[in-house]
Amino acid sequence: MRLEVSVGRYSAQGIRDNNEDRLHVDRALGLYLVADGMGGQARGERASLLATKLIPAYLKRELDEGADPEAALAKAMIDANAEIVREGQDQPRGRRMGTTAVVAYLHGGKVYIGHLGDSRAYLIRGNGVKLLTHDHSVAYALVENGTMTEEQAKSSPFQHVLHKYLGCADLNGGPDIASFEAQPNDRLVLATDGLTNHITEDDLVSGARHFADMQQWAENLVDTALERGSRDNVTCIVLAFDPR
Ligand code: CA
């Protein structure tokens, strides 16, 4: 079934002095990207901006050269990583720029999710929510190997220490790529941690039901995170897949 894709997007600086989050929508290419820059002030902004420029450009190049969607997306993120590492080389160790990236690439009825860092992708289908990404945080790695419980991870000082992101010297296995077949009435949310730390899965299910207009929903999600005390930049893209 052909599905109509509609999109909403919103990014708020919040109480911070600058906004290191970036979002990018390229409907013609079918690419939707959220990035959360790190490295302080101009560096974080530069890194997330680079992610939004480089990943679409490299993805186009790979597709033009005949790569399949999954390989093209992975290669685009790997090459963007190398470029951001190169640009950061004149910065002192420990202060180099980096950025998360969560990318949705729509191709032939399928949605490919590429991911590095702790920005997230959620699929809302019916009454269910599926987290499509695993945070590349040290705390989550400790949960995975059984050192910590999920509850302990939430208050761990390592919760937002990333071991994998764009701009890191060793991508150790590359980006995570997931995919799913889009179904009628699916909703997809891409968001930075300034949002995901304050929005529950119940919020996502009720919002998906309540909002027919994706732009209104995106703004509502960001406003809700800010009202609940998010002290971070807050950014999301929401996608609706509806029957034509
Ligand atoms: Ca953030």
Side-chain angles (χ1 to χ4, degrees), residues 7 17 38 55 113 117 120 122 133 154 172 241:
V7 57
D17 293 335
M38 304 165 288
I55 292 173
I113 303 290
R120 293 181 175 178
Y122 290 94
T133 51
K154 281 181 190 160
N172 188 21
F241 300 85

Side-chain angles (χ1 to χ4, degrees), residues 4-11 23-27 31-34 104 186-191 195 211-222 234-242:
E4 175 90 34
V5 177
S6 49
V7 57
R9 76 197 85 168
Y10 198 60
S11 182
L23 54 77
H24 182 74
V25 169
D26 184 337
R27 288 191 67 109
L31 180 135
Y32 304 83
L33 188 165
V34 164
D186 278 353
R187 298 289 183 267
L188 179 68
V189 174
L190 311 177
L195 190 140
F211 288 96
D213 182 312
M214 291 305 105
Q215 187 56 33
Q216 282 180 10
W217 190 24
E219 291 175 19
N220 174 269
L221 283 169
V222 170
V234 185
T235 300
C236 70
I237 296 177
V238 297
L239 293 168
F241 300 85
D242 289 319

